[in-house]
Amino acid sequence: MAKHPPKAIKRITCLGSGFVGGPTSAVIAFKSSVEVTVVDINVQKIAAWQSNALPIYEPGLYEIVRAVRDDHPADQHWKDHDSFRNANTHHPTRPRLFFSTNIDQAIRNADLIFVCVNTPTKAHGIGKGSAADLDFVEAATRTIARVATQDTIVVEKSTVPCNTAQSIREILAANAHPGVCFDVLSNPEFLAEGTAVRDLLQPDRIIIGSLSTPSGLRAAASLAEVYGQWVPRERIITMNLWSSELSKLAANAMLAQRISSVNALSAICEVTGADVDEVSHACGLDSRIGPQMLKAGPGFGGSCFQKDIFNIVYLSESLHLYEIADYWRAIIDMNEHQKQRFTKRIISCLYNNLAGKKLAVLGFAFKKDTSDTRESPAITLVTNFLTERARVAIYDPRVPQQQIWRELADNGCDPEMLKRNVSVCSSAYTACEAADAVVLITEWDEFSNKTVSATVPIPKENQEIRAGAGTIKSTTPLNTPPEAADQGVWRSTRSGVEKTAGFRIPPRKSAGIVIKDPKNGEVKTFRTQQSSPDSSPLQSPFAKSTKFVSSPNHSTDLLLRDPNIPPERTDWSSLGRSAVSPANVELARDITSSIDGRLRATEMTSDSKPSGRLDWARIASSMRKPMFVFDGRNILDHGKLEALGFRVEVIGKRGTTAREPHS
């Protein structure tokens, strides 16, 4: 690095405000001296980022955004608490994080540009179903070349196939203004949804790929200087562009491989009487293996694992490495097999007939602590239940109703069947009322009936949030149990999380989101309302008040669509993907647009914020007999449930039915 002194980076622009661009930009602004602007053509999404109702839910994100967007590091209630009062409260004297729809200005002002746009799997043409669709990346690249008037570092942050950086370099060079030079870097993200803020504050590694030219190495050193303001230098790794691009795909493929491996073992455990948790624990104690990602479940989900494995499959096939492609494809096959195997077990236990029976599905997000439902196992499982003519009641504490409707409709479920046989409920108790079985799909803490220990361990010791040169100890650790905020303050220590009495975190409130159309200046306000206690299948998609919003007519050269939606959808349909905000306000796209051809911005609120653990005795009192619980995540105390009269079936273990004597 010393031979190639870095360029001082004062302003960063991030193209895309999704799950990667938003949190990454917020943490960079929070932990460095750099001014960061996040741009997106989605007016409503940017308006949400500018409000207290963020479009993405990640633990800790709201506090960090407020600190650098509003120069407001903590509420007064927090400042009065000992853990905050004793900290160095130095913080920025002015905001460093901005959100805008003025893409051209942000590009012109930037020293460095992050490209955080969507790279979905191709839905057409050569490579359909496996290759990455780079339409958004190319559109963003052409926009940068057309607008930039000074030398700029362009960083591909999106997950892309190998050699994408070379394509970006060629497009920039062919379309740049005279005298303007671009350096292209690869800087893949390694964020896990639900722990993204922690992953950004304390990353395992930062990968920066560049050309080995003096200019390329200088650009890499410049980006390393930005991260070096809070990341230890030994964790910032530089390498060539190909290696950097492949490292992200390889990491996700290997993580998915571990999940599919333990899920394959879970099938053996169910037949032999072994316990998959005990087997995975024994394997995880081997230092060569480690304990991470060895939890059996209904299959992995999320936007990355499947897509990135398909990228490797397509890359292997394009290089004529067909046996290699078959190997990686088998991971996807095992993941799909696990969903179908769980479905068949449910059908078998319910006397080989689901017709007319009510199944309460607890959890729709692909994992806890996120509202992301992309590739969630719940989508396949609910679709299977509907195929068997079951009635399904769904509850998830963070996923907006309209997002659930849309996922099921996009998976091929007939809208009329959804209206008849599916209800999205505002509480688990309503979902479970008169149900024949409970199917637990997402491992939300509130669903568990296991005893909560006095100390809740956390992976990263002594959670801290640093602002500038100072340190603020968070009174609510990033993985605080959902009921903790209602019961008091939990303080991070080396041994875990300790509860302190006499202090209550005030609820965040929002009067609504004000949206100004940049084309005509028209202002629209989406206000918070109290949702009804529950929603019937007929009410959920259709009975909400609706405001009509016209999509701005952006040129295709500015096509920076929401990274959370496939290319065939309009930019404005991203609203349903947005996570529930801290203020429990979501703007969602009504799934009836697929029926009546209209695009509607539907105001949607939720009263389903986690409010303590479920009372399983209460659930038992309202269900039909015999009562079944299918624990897809093994987060329940099965002995306690059986004492209440439940028949319990668990992935990777013999269930109540298998243990009962047969005459």
Side-chain angles (χ1 to χ4, degrees):
M1 294 278 186
K3 296 181 180 179
H4 307 281
K7 170 186 176 181
I9 304 298
K10 298 180 180 179
R11 294 185 180 89
I12 290 177
T13 289
C14 179
L15 305 184
S17 61
F19 280 99
V20 175
T24 299
S25 299
V27 170
I28 288 177
F30 189 76
K31 299 292 286 184
S32 74
S33 59
V34 179
E35 182 180 290
V36 184
T37 300
V38 182
V39 294
D40 201 301
I41 65 170
N42 189 317
V43 177
Q44 293 169 321
K45 199 167 190 179
I46 291 298
W49 278 111
Q50 293 169 338
S51 74
N52 288 338
L54 303 187
I56 291 172
Y57 172 72
E58 279 290 334
L61 179 61
Y62 175 81
E63 289 78 13
I64 287 180
V65 169
R66 289 206 67 192
V68 285
R69 185 196 66 188
D70 305 330
D71 188 23
H72 187 74
D75 293 332
Q76 187 62 42
H77 295 78
W78 289 38
K79 293 181 180 180
D80 292 339
H81 193 254
D82 288 341
S83 64
F84 187 92
R85 186 185 301 118
N86 296 332
N88 182 348
T89 58
H90 172 76
H91 58 274
T93 57
R94 61 184 179 83
R96 287 202 299 259
L97 179 65
F98 305 91
F99 298 92
S100 173
T101 56
N102 193 335
I103 298 172
D104 288 12
Q105 179 179 334
I107 290 175
R108 282 192 292 267
N109 293 341
D111 302 308
L112 182 147
I113 298 173
F114 282 125
V115 178
C116 298
V117 297
N118 194 20
T119 54
T121 301
K122 286 188 69 174
H124 53 82
I126 297 176
K128 176 182 177 180
S130 58
D133 188 339
L134 300 180
D135 177 39
F136 303 144
V137 173
E138 181 175 345
T141 302
R142 292 184 180 278
T143 300
I144 294 170
R146 177 179 60 81
V147 174
T149 56
Q150 62 176 346
D151 293 354
T152 308
I153 299 172
V154 177
V155 182
E156 56 173 24
K157 198 77 174 170
S158 303
T159 302
V160 294
C162 293
N163 214 27
T164 300
Q166 178 62 28
S167 301
I168 292 174
R169 289 181 64 249
E170 292 176 0
I171 293 172
L172 290 172
N175 295 276
H177 291 285
V180 176
C181 296
F182 296 97
D183 287 295
V184 178
L185 301 177
S186 170
N187 177 219
E189 52 86 15
F190 296 96
L191 308 180
E193 291 184 47
T195 60
V197 170
R198 189 178 67 205
D199 296 339
L200 287 162
L201 292 172
Q202 299 173 317
D204 294 327
R205 78 287 202 197
I206 298 292
I207 302 297
I208 302 175
S210 71
L211 294 177
S212 58
T213 63
S215 177
L217 295 174
R218 181 171 182 257
S222 301
L223 182 56
E225 283 293 312
V226 174
Y227 286 117
Q229 295 182 55
W230 79 93
V231 179
R233 290 289 176 161
E234 62 270 17
R235 295 188 183 182
I236 302 176
I237 312 300
T238 58
M239 57 184 64
N240 69 50
L241 286 169
W242 261 77
S243 297
S244 177
E245 291 172 333
L246 185 57
S247 67
K248 172 59 188 293
L249 301 178
N252 279 344
M254 289 183 177
L255 292 173
Q257 179 189 49
R258 288 171 69 93
I259 296 174
S260 283
S261 295
V262 75
N263 281 342
L265 289 171
S266 73
I268 299 175
C269 290
E270 291 170 18
V271 176
T272 62
D275 185 320
V276 71
D277 280 348
E278 294 176 349
V279 173
S280 61
H281 177 67
C283 293
L285 292 175
D286 190 324
S287 60
R288 298 168 299 174
I289 299 174
Q292 300 298 320
M293 309 297 282
L294 289 180
K295 187 72 172 176
F300 57 76
S303 63
C304 294
F305 283 2
Q306 179 169 295
K307 179 184 70 173
D308 292 352
I309 292 174
F310 277 138
N311 272 334
I312 292 181
V313 168
Y314 184 74
L315 174 64
S316 301
E317 290 177 338
S318 66
L319 297 173
H320 306 293
L321 302 172
Y322 300 109
E323 293 80 5
I324 307 303
D326 290 342
Y327 171 81
W328 291 110
R329 188 182 287 107
I331 296 172
I332 301 294
D333 294 340
M334 177 55 63
N335 195 56
E336 293 304 311
H337 173 70
Q338 185 75 347
K339 301 173 194 176
Q340 302 305 325
R341 199 173 65 81
F342 192 37
T343 299
K344 291 177 181 178
R345 185 173 180 183
I346 293 170
I347 295 172
S348 176
C349 290
L350 292 175
Y351 314 110
N352 294 310
N353 177 33
L354 297 186
K357 294 178 180 177
K358 180 180 178 181
L359 303 185
V361 171
L362 299 186
F364 202 84
F366 82 92
K367 62 185 287 189
K368 73 173 186 177
D369 291 336
T370 182
S371 62
D372 195 354
T373 56
R374 288 173 288 181
E375 306 297 340
S376 172
I379 300 171
T380 299
L381 292 171
V382 171
T383 301
N384 290 346
F385 300 155
L386 294 175
T387 301
E388 295 292 326
R389 296 166 55 196
R391 295 180 296 116
V392 182
I394 303 169
Y395 166 71
D396 190 289
R398 289 291 182 185
V399 178
Q401 291 185 26
Q402 305 297 349
Q403 188 169 328
I404 294 174
W405 294 113
R406 193 188 60 242
E407 288 285 14
L408 294 174
D410 289 350
N411 198 48
C413 293
D414 177 67
E416 292 301 319
M417 180 178 63
L418 291 179
K419 288 191 294 182
R420 289 193 307 268
N421 295 338
V422 178
S423 58
V424 180
C425 304
S426 60
S427 77
Y429 300 111
T430 304
C432 295
E433 185 175 354
D436 294 273
V438 175
V439 183
L440 194 153
I441 299 178
T442 309
E443 69 278 23
W444 289 105
D445 291 333
E446 69 173 280
F447 298 156
S448 177
N449 67 337
K450 291 183 178 179
T451 302
V452 181
S453 59
T455 298
V456 181
I458 54 178
K460 303 287 187 178
E461 63 177 12
N462 201 18
Q463 296 282 355
E464 295 180 339
I465 298 177
R466 296 182 180 272
T471 300
I472 302 171
K473 287 190 177 180
S474 174
T475 56
T476 306
L478 301 185
N479 67 337
T480 299
E483 65 272 24
D486 293 332
Q487 298 175 355
V489 172
W490 293 60
R491 181 176 61 249
S492 300
T493 66
R494 286 184 178 272
S495 60
V497 183
E498 297 175 351
K499 182 186 173 190
T500 61
F503 182 78
R504 185 176 179 84
I505 299 174
R508 303 175 192 132
K509 299 180 179 179
S510 174
I513 302 177
V514 178
I515 300 171
K516 183 176 182 180
D517 193 319
K519 292 290 185 180
N520 55 28
E522 183 180 358
V523 175
K524 300 178 177 65
T525 302
F526 294 80
R527 299 193 179 279
T528 305
Q529 298 176 348
Q530 291 295 323
S531 65
S532 59
D534 196 8
S535 303
S536 72
L538 290 176
Q539 290 173 332
S540 296
F542 307 114
K544 296 288 183 179
S545 60
T546 303
K547 293 182 174 66
F548 291 87
V549 181
S550 298
S551 174
N553 183 23
H554 295 280
S555 68
T556 55
D557 205 28
L558 289 178
L559 192 57
L560 300 177
R561 295 179 182 171
D562 179 6
N564 300 318
I565 57 175
E568 64 271 19
R569 293 199 187 124
T570 177
D571 301 313
W572 288 60
S573 66
S574 63
L575 294 175
R577 290 285 185 190
S578 301
V580 64
S581 69
N584 291 309
V585 180
E586 307 88 29
L587 296 175
R589 183 59 52 184
D590 193 327
I591 66 163
T592 55
S593 61
S594 64
I595 302 172
D596 59 20
R598 294 176 295 176
L599 295 177
R600 304 193 227 175
T602 303
E603 180 179 10
M604 176 183 165
T605 60
S606 173
D607 63 356
S608 56
K609 184 178 73 172
S611 56
R613 296 186 183 255
L614 294 183
D615 181 351
W616 282 92
R618 177 180 170 185
I619 290 176
S621 67
S622 69
M623 289 181 61
R624 295 179 64 189
K625 307 299 188 290
M627 307 176 298
F628 287 85
V629 171
F630 298 93
D631 184 359
R633 296 290 185 174
N634 198 10
I635 64 169
L636 300 175
D637 186 320
H638 306 129
K640 289 182 179 180
L641 291 179
E642 289 176 343
L644 292 172
F646 286 102
R647 296 187 179 187
V648 184
E649 302 293 326
V650 193
I651 287 180
K653 300 181 181 181
R654 277 188 171 175
T656 304
T657 303
R659 297 196 307 271
E660 289 179 341
H662 298 280
S663 57

